[in-house]
Amino acid sequence: MEGDETAMEEIRDRNTADRSVRIAIVGRSNCGKSSMLNRLVGFERSRATDENDTTRDAIEIPCTYKGRRLCLIDTAGMRRVKSRRHSDFHTEVYHKSNMAIRFADVVIVVFDATEGHPSNFDMSLLHRAKEEGRPFIIAANKWDAVLDPSATAEAIDFKIKRQDAEIQYATAVVCSANSSLNLTLLLDQALEHYDRWNKKLRTSDLTRFWRRFEKSVVIPTRTSRVGRLVQTKARPPTFLLQLQTKDDGEKFTPS
């Protein structure tokens, strides 16, 4: 199924002359997703209130930013279902938000910075985006209401560094939908992540990079070395390393 979805996605890209970059904005209820989207597009497209579950379906809004076509996707607030009450509704919301992550080009996980740090559920959304092979950004919204920005920034960094290898390098942007703080930076980072995610490198450039890397480290004598480095696909960038082993201690042969 995964191969079929990848093939269909590639066919859609080839058949679309001017493709939009799909940016999914996900997070828990009342973290400011709808307010952020309204501020980004410049008018009130999504209803933003203090009540829970105001947004119930994914809303796609096409727009243009710095000459590039975007499709901003506002999703319903997600939460863990702890009881049977309203479990069907929240399960459906969770399923729709996961579908938005799956078919997005970039995922922005929004959380309320006044809480001090992202919750474990916020981190699970980053892991979900990673599992789908999507680039992700974590946005600390409502930064203008944070009482101790320095301590909060340290707490966010500590929370991210406690995750696994890929999540440790997640980009965190402090922003505010209320004052428009760093919202353009957030979009710039999203487009930069998309360009990296969609980038294809030549084999010759990868080989030169790896040879320079080999000269900068000490490689044990009996360790297999990399003979060839090839990028097999993009979105996300995937690489194939062809290992070589010593034959009779004199020459290298592909293993």
Side-chain angles (χ1 to χ4, degrees), residues 9-219:
E9 187 176 5
E10 186 171 345
I11 291 173
R12 286 195 298 268
D13 292 344
R14 292 181 178 180
N15 293 336
T16 304
D18 193 5
R19 185 180 185 276
S20 299
V21 180
R22 297 174 58 85
I23 302 177
I25 304 175
V26 301
R28 291 176 293 151
S29 298
N30 289 339
C31 65
K33 301 184 302 298
S34 297
S35 298
M36 179 179 295
L37 184 137
N38 291 336
R39 183 69 72 171
L40 287 172
V41 298
F43 60 93
E44 188 173 355
R45 178 60 180 83
S46 296
R47 183 185 177 191
T49 66
D50 294 333
E51 299 178 1
N52 291 328
D53 305 323
T54 302
T55 304
R56 301 196 173 193
D57 295 308
I59 301 174
E60 299 186 5
I61 303 178
C63 62
T64 303
Y65 177 72
K66 292 185 176 180
R68 302 185 65 171
R69 296 174 60 87
L70 307 180
C71 180
L72 303 180
I73 307 171
D74 183 20
T75 60
M78 304 173 67
R79 67 174 67 178
R80 283 195 174 95
V81 180
K82 297 183 179 179
S83 64
R84 293 185 177 179
R85 183 183 180 185
H86 305 309
S87 60
D88 293 338
F89 168 74
H90 292 298
T91 300
E92 183 67 18
V93 167
Y94 188 81
H95 174 71
K96 290 181 179 180
S97 297
N98 278 329
M99 292 299 293
I101 293 175
R102 173 174 296 182
F103 294 105
D105 296 321
V106 182
V107 178
I108 299 178
V109 178
V110 184
F111 77 97
D112 189 348
T114 59
E115 296 179 355
H117 58 79
S119 66
N120 292 333
F121 186 75
D122 297 325
M123 292 292 102
S124 71
L125 296 179
L126 292 178
H127 286 276
R128 179 62 180 169
K130 184 200 74 171
E131 292 171 0
E132 293 293 343
R134 298 311 188 236
F136 47 83
I137 300 172
I138 185 164
N141 194 23
K142 305 180 183 180
W143 192 255
D144 53 347
V146 173
L147 298 178
D148 192 345
S150 178
T152 304
E154 292 181 3
I156 294 172
D157 183 70
F158 178 76
K159 187 77 173 185
I160 294 176
K161 292 297 186 292
R162 291 183 59 188
Q163 307 304 310
D164 59 22
E166 295 184 31
I167 307 298
Q168 286 182 4
Y169 298 100
T171 299
V173 178
V174 298
C175 57
S176 173
N178 184 41
S179 62
S180 300
L181 174 68
N182 287 343
L183 291 186
T184 56
L185 174 62
L186 184 63
L187 287 182
D188 289 338
Q189 288 293 323
L191 291 177
E192 182 178 345
H193 279 61
Y194 172 78
D195 292 337
R196 291 180 180 176
W197 179 65
N198 209 35
K199 190 173 185 178
K200 295 182 180 179
L201 300 174
R202 294 184 300 178
T203 302
S204 58
D205 295 335
L206 291 173
T207 302
R208 283 195 295 268
F209 160 76
W210 191 261
R211 293 297 172 244
R212 289 196 302 267
F213 173 75
E214 285 182 328
K215 293 179 181 179
S216 64
V217 297
V218 178
I219 302 178

